[in-house]
Each structure stands twice: as C-alpha cells, then as structure tokens.
Amino acid sequence: RDSPLALPPILAGLRVGWTMALIGAVVSELYGASGGLGYFVMVQNKMFHSPGIFAGAVVLAILSYSGFSFFDMLERKMVSW
C-alpha cells in the first residue's frame, strides 16, 4: 500500500547509483583489466596521447549522462505526481 511513496527515493538511488557504478567500473579497469574504457584511457595516458584521453572522458560522460537521463525519465513516467 505504501509502495508508491517509496518510488521516488528508490529511483533517485538508481539514478545516482548508475553513474557511480559506471565510474567505479572504469576506475577498476584502469588498474586491473586488459580491455575496456579505463584500460583504453590508461594506454593513451602512457603514450601521452591527449586526444585519446579526452575521447575516453567524453565517452564516459556520455554514458553517465544517458543512464542518468534514462532513470530521470523513468522516474517522471512512474511518479507522475
């Protein structure tokens, strides 16, 4: 019965959690992976290739923003009041 009242904080947590999880995955790839976005940025950094570093940062920003926007849209659709 009270579940609709719990939706806003749950969806807000999903929205912020998505961004944090994505950043955490990329940071873990920086140090312990042999592939992925974090590994790509690390290799570009070691080669002093600034455009590659910024490209990785832009991809991360786009992924974070798209996930954040998706959960924001989901919250607006599910919690219409």
Side-chain angles (χ1 to χ4, degrees), residues 39-54:
Y39 179 77
F40 172 78
V41 171
M42 183 182 65
V43 169
Q44 298 301 309
N45 187 31
K46 286 183 178 180
M47 295 173 30
F48 299 106
H49 192 249
S50 296
I53 297 168
F54 285 115

Side-chain angles (χ1 to χ4, degrees), residues 9-80:
I10 289 171
L11 292 172
L14 283 171
R15 189 174 59 219
V16 174
W18 159 261
T19 305
M20 293 296 153
L22 187 62
I23 291 170
V26 171
V27 168
S28 68
E29 288 174 359
L30 280 170
Y31 299 106
S34 59
L37 185 58
Y39 179 77
F40 172 78
V41 171
M42 183 182 65
V43 169
Q44 298 301 309
N45 187 31
K46 286 183 178 180
M47 295 173 30
F48 299 106
H49 192 249
S50 296
I53 297 168
F54 285 115
V58 167
V59 169
L60 178 61
I62 289 170
L63 287 173
S64 295
Y65 182 74
S66 64
F68 190 91
S69 297
F70 170 75
F71 285 116
D72 187 48
M73 184 241 354
L74 188 66
E75 182 179 5
R76 280 189 266 124
K77 293 253 186 220
M78 292 181 73
V79 183
S80 59

